[in-house]
Amino acid sequence: MVGLLGSGSWATAIVKILLEQPQREVHWWVREPDIIEGLVREGRNPTYLSETMLDVRRLHLTSDIERVVEYCDDLFVVVPSAFLASALEGVRAEMVQGKRFHSAVKGIVPQTNQIVTDFLHQTLGIPDDMLSVVSGPSHAEETARNKLTYLTVASSSTATAERARQLLNCNYVNTTYTTDMRGVEFAAVMKNIYAIAVGLCHGLGFGDNLIAVLISNAVAEMQQFMDYSAPASVRHMHRYAYLGDLLVTCYSQFSRNRTFGNMVGWGYSVKAAQLEMKMVAEGYYAAACVERMRAEGGLAMPIAQTVYNILYQHADAAVVMRQLAENLK
């Protein structure tokens, strides 16, 4: 059986994908009672992707996460990284033995400063060959509208990756496979920080010319950070799990991280922007986690450092972004 943990936009889109196979049933852990009520009553998530209709006859909805984990062999984890540790508090290592976990979380667990696969491995003892990462470029809004989407499934195990691909492939989703699980996961974390930087530029009145230069520099920063944090013998940054995901997150109207940066550039406080968005901008948490790792490694990453300084050190966005712009290469 297939289970899914999480109830946001991307979680809802993945449920829709999983239901494309007519006979498949999905066990869905949803924390919020009002979302369960809306799904049962109207066949749609009333809070996220509310225009997307789902066949609730094939959904087993519950607010008991342990029930879903114990019952299902394949579990898609789509809980925002900031809330993952608390969501899994009641789950014990013996409950997950022999189960495959497919992470579609694009963030770092802030309580432990770990990417999700490392967190799952350390806290629940899930072996690497039972873990996979599902990455973009993919905006939930487009996927939910059946727009053609390419996903990368990354795992050290071909069998685990093939199972995830079997579950996800449908007439509007194509998947590919890579063994670079941690590289793909770190790329999904980093691109959110750079999307905030792009939003800041836009909110401050800079144009596409500068943004193109910023993104070009961001690719170099990403590669440096990934070579430090997740070394790989072969990694092609031009592939869509890396560069493609970065581009769509930086440029798309659906990018919540770009939107968050845009609002801060306009003059919103960080807290006000978070409250008004009503959605999690993963790049906010990633900026602090990556800053700690960058400092430990002695890496020079001026774009990521500037975003961190604006979000956490109350630096004047107009001043420090102008300084950054003058030093891009």
Side-chain angles (χ1 to χ4, degrees):
M1 295 300 296
V2 181
L4 187 137
L5 312 178
S7 56
S9 296
W10 189 219
T12 304
I14 292 180
V15 168
K16 180 180 183 298
I17 293 169
L18 295 173
L19 291 174
E20 292 298 338
Q21 186 166 319
Q23 304 306 315
R24 182 178 292 146
E25 297 181 0
V26 176
H27 294 257
W28 190 1
W29 175 72
V30 177
R31 183 198 298 267
E32 304 89 342
D34 57 323
I35 292 181
I36 293 180
E37 181 182 339
L39 285 162
V40 171
R41 185 180 64 250
E42 301 178 15
R44 61 188 183 89
N45 185 329
T47 306
Y48 303 100
L49 301 184
S50 57
E51 75 283 359
T52 301
M53 302 304 298
L54 301 168
D55 185 356
V56 292
R57 297 169 299 179
R58 294 187 285 130
L59 289 176
H60 302 273
L61 299 161
T62 181
S63 58
D64 184 352
I65 195 169
E66 297 174 39
R67 179 178 174 184
V68 176
V69 171
E70 288 185 311
Y71 195 73
C72 298
D73 300 312
D74 284 276
L75 289 142
F76 285 85
V77 182
V78 206
V79 180
S81 61
F83 311 121
L84 183 60
S86 60
L88 294 176
E89 279 181 351
V91 178
R92 302 178 303 280
E94 59 268 24
M95 296 167 56
V96 303
Q97 292 182 7
K99 300 177 185 294
R100 292 174 290 261
F101 279 70
H102 312 290
S103 172
V105 183
K106 298 181 178 182
I108 291 180
V109 180
Q111 294 88 342
T112 61
N113 212 51
Q114 291 174 300
I115 51 176
V116 172
T117 52
D118 285 348
F119 175 80
L120 294 173
H121 176 72
Q122 181 172 316
T123 58
L124 294 175
I126 303 169
D128 261 18
D129 62 1
M130 299 299 279
L131 292 166
S132 79
V133 170
V134 179
S135 190
S138 53
H139 281 305
E141 293 82 358
E142 287 199 356
T143 305
R145 296 171 186 169
N146 295 10
K147 300 289 187 181
L148 185 59
T149 300
Y150 287 77
L151 300 177
T152 295
V153 178
S155 178
S156 63
S157 164
T158 303
T160 297
E162 285 303 312
R163 177 55 176 161
R165 295 180 68 189
Q166 177 190 12
L167 292 167
L168 293 168
N169 281 329
C170 64
N171 64 340
Y172 55 88
V173 175
N174 292 332
T175 63
T176 190
Y177 167 61
T178 179
T179 58
D180 187 19
M181 182 170 73
R182 285 175 174 80
V184 167
E185 193 165 8
F186 270 115
V189 169
M190 297 296 294
K191 53 102 179 187
N192 288 326
I193 299 172
Y194 297 120
I196 291 176
V198 168
L200 285 162
C201 281
H202 187 266
L204 290 165
F206 293 106
D208 291 341
N209 296 339
L210 175 65
I211 287 172
V213 175
L214 180 80
I215 294 172
S216 298
N217 279 257
V219 174
E221 279 195 18
M222 279 181 65
Q223 184 155 17
Q224 177 192 195
F225 182 83
M226 290 160 59
D227 288 345
Y228 164 74
S229 57
S233 56
V234 178
R235 178 179 292 137
H236 301 291
M237 288 295 293
H238 66 275
R239 297 285 176 83
Y240 59 76
Y242 312 105
L243 179 59
D245 206 10
L246 173 67
L247 291 175
V248 77
T249 309
C250 287
Y251 280 117
S252 176
Q253 61 178 320
F254 297 120
S255 172
R256 64 186 66 178
N257 288 282
R258 176 180 168 131
T259 299
F260 175 66
N262 206 14
M263 294 173 72
V264 174
W266 283 337
Y268 282 73
S269 70
V270 170
K271 181 60 70 176
Q274 290 173 316
L275 291 172
E276 184 155 325
M277 283 183 62
K278 299 179 182 178
M279 292 190 295
V280 175
E282 289 279 15
Y284 171 76
Y285 301 101
C289 296
V290 166
E291 172 59 20
R292 287 196 288 272
M293 297 175 72
R294 181 209 65 76
E296 289 169 4
L299 306 176
M301 299 170 58
I303 304 174
Q305 289 173 257
T306 298
V307 172
Y308 170 79
N309 288 336
I310 292 170
L311 299 184
Y312 288 90
Q313 301 299 316
H314 311 294
D316 187 308
V319 172
V320 296
M321 287 301 291
R322 169 62 69 178
Q323 292 171 344
L324 174 67
E326 291 173 353
N327 289 282
L328 294 173
K329 300 177 181 178

